Amino acid sequence: MRPNRLQQIFAAKQTAIGGWCAIPDSYCAELMGHSGYDTVVVDLQHGPLYLDAAVPMLQALSSTDAVPMARCSANSFGEINKLLDAGAYGIVCPMIDSADDARALVAACRYPPVGTRSFGPTRGFLHGGPDYFAHANDTILVWAMIETPRGLQNLEEICAVPGLDGVFVGPSDLSLALGVSPSPKWRQPPLSDALARVLAAAHRADRLAGIFCVSVEFAIEMRQMGFDFVVHANDASILREAAQAGVAAIRR
Ligand code: 3PY
Ligand code: MG
C-alpha cells in the first residue's frame, strides 16, 4: 500500500503543514496539492462542499504529493466509509464530545476485527494499491476534533481511546465552548490555556496534536508550541485575502 507520508513526518518528530479545501472544485484541490503542503484536507463540514464534489477532489489530490484527508460533516459511519473508500488517507471528525464518540469514529475508520468499517475500497485500491486491505488499518489517520465544552471536559478519556491517532483543535468552536468570541484569541486566556491543555493531554497519551489556525502567524506559534500538525487557512480565505490585497494595493 502507498505509505502515508504523514506517518513518516510524525515519526521524524517534524510538524506537518496542512492545506484545507472549502471550495468544491477538483482543480482548486489540485492547485492546493501542488503547493507544498504535506496534506490537504477536503472539508465537508462547512461550506458548499458535498460528497459528489469531494470524490473528484480526492482524485485530484492523488496526482500530487499531498496526503489526501477529509473532514467529515459529522461522526457518520456512512459518510466516513464513503470518504475512505474514495481514497482519503485520514479522517478529521468534528465535535467529538466523549470517549464513546471517539470509539464510534475509530470503529468507522478501521476494518474488523479492530473496527466495523465495511469492505468496498473502490478508490482506496487505486490510490493505495492492491494490498490496501492488509495495511489500511495501520495507514489511515483518525483525528478527533476537540472543540466543544464536553469534548474539553472529556479530553483525557478521548485521548485514551485505542486506535485514535490524534486530536485536532477547532479554535473557533473551542472559543465558543469557552464563552468567548469565535475569532480565536490564541494568545489570551481562556483559549491559550485550553490549547496548552489539549497539547499536553495529547502528548501525555502518546497522541498527535493538530490545530486549524486562522493565520500564518497563529500557525507558526502553534508549531513552536509543539503542535504536530498545523493548518494556516483554507483555500477560500487564501483566495479572498489575496484578491482583497491586490485590489487595495491598486486603489492606493
Ligand atoms: C473551528 O475553528 O471550530 C474549526 O472547526 C476549524 O475548521
Ligand atoms: Mg469547528
Side-chain angles (χ1 to χ4, degrees), residues 101-155:
D101 283 357
R103 273 189 285 273
L105 166 64
V106 170
C109 294
R110 309 281 188 222
Y111 288 121
V114 179
T116 55
R117 180 178 171 191
S118 171
F119 187 74
T122 42
R123 268 208 81 251
F125 281 135
L126 304 181
H127 178 78
D131 55 347
Y132 181 89
F133 173 71
H135 302 288
N137 280 358
D138 296 327
T139 302
I140 277 148
L141 292 171
V142 185
W143 303 87
M145 286 194 73
I146 302 296
E147 52 179 354
T148 63
R150 288 185 58 218
L152 199 55
Q153 196 184 323
N154 296 323
L155 174 64

Side-chain angles (χ1 to χ4, degrees), residues 130-212:
D131 55 347
Y132 181 89
F133 173 71
H135 302 288
N137 280 358
D138 296 327
T139 302
I140 277 148
L141 292 171
V142 185
W143 303 87
M145 286 194 73
I146 302 296
E147 52 179 354
T148 63
R150 288 185 58 218
L152 199 55
Q153 196 184 323
N154 296 323
L155 174 64
E156 281 73 19
E157 290 85 340
I158 292 169
C159 287
V161 167
L164 188 75
D165 292 290
V167 290
F168 189 88
V169 176
S172 299
D173 279 312
L174 188 58
S175 297
L176 289 177
L178 295 164
V180 293
S181 145
S183 318
K185 307 260 183 313
W186 72 92
R187 294 193 186 112
Q188 291 172 25
L191 184 59
S192 57
D193 294 341
L195 298 180
R197 197 185 142 207
V198 175
L199 178 62
H203 285 177
R204 236 185 351 260
D206 206 18
R207 300 288 182 254
L208 299 161
I211 181 163
F212 187 97

Side-chain angles (χ1 to χ4, degrees), residues 16-140:
I17 303 174
W20 198 272
C21 286
I23 299 174
D25 184 76
S26 59
Y27 175 53
C28 195
E30 192 178 13
L31 280 172
M32 291 291 279
H34 280 292
S35 298
Y37 292 114
D38 299 307
T39 177
V40 172
V41 181
V42 175
D43 182 10
L44 286 86
Q45 188 194 14
H46 292 298
L49 200 166
Y50 300 89
L51 207 47
D52 282 355
V55 177
M57 292 173 77
L58 291 168
Q59 290 174 309
L61 288 171
S62 284
S63 71
T64 77
D65 286 339
V67 175
M69 298 209 287
R71 174 163 74 170
C72 46
S73 61
N75 196 357
S76 149
F77 181 87
E79 187 181 89
I80 290 169
N81 272 232
K82 285 268 196 200
L83 289 166
L84 293 175
D85 288 349
Y89 258 34
I91 294 290
V92 181
C93 184
M95 300 283 183
I96 294 294
D97 276 337
S98 63
D100 278 349
D101 283 357
R103 273 189 285 273
L105 166 64
V106 170
C109 294
R110 309 281 188 222
Y111 288 121
V114 179
T116 55
R117 180 178 171 191
S118 171
F119 187 74
T122 42
R123 268 208 81 251
F125 281 135
L126 304 181
H127 178 78
D131 55 347
Y132 181 89
F133 173 71
H135 302 288
N137 280 358
D138 296 327
T139 302
I140 277 148

Side-chain angles (χ1 to χ4, degrees), residues 229-247:
F229 171 31
V230 298
V231 175
H232 70 91
N234 69 22
D235 53 3
S237 58
I238 292 168
L239 178 63
R240 189 186 58 237
E241 279 168 27
Q244 286 173 344
V247 172

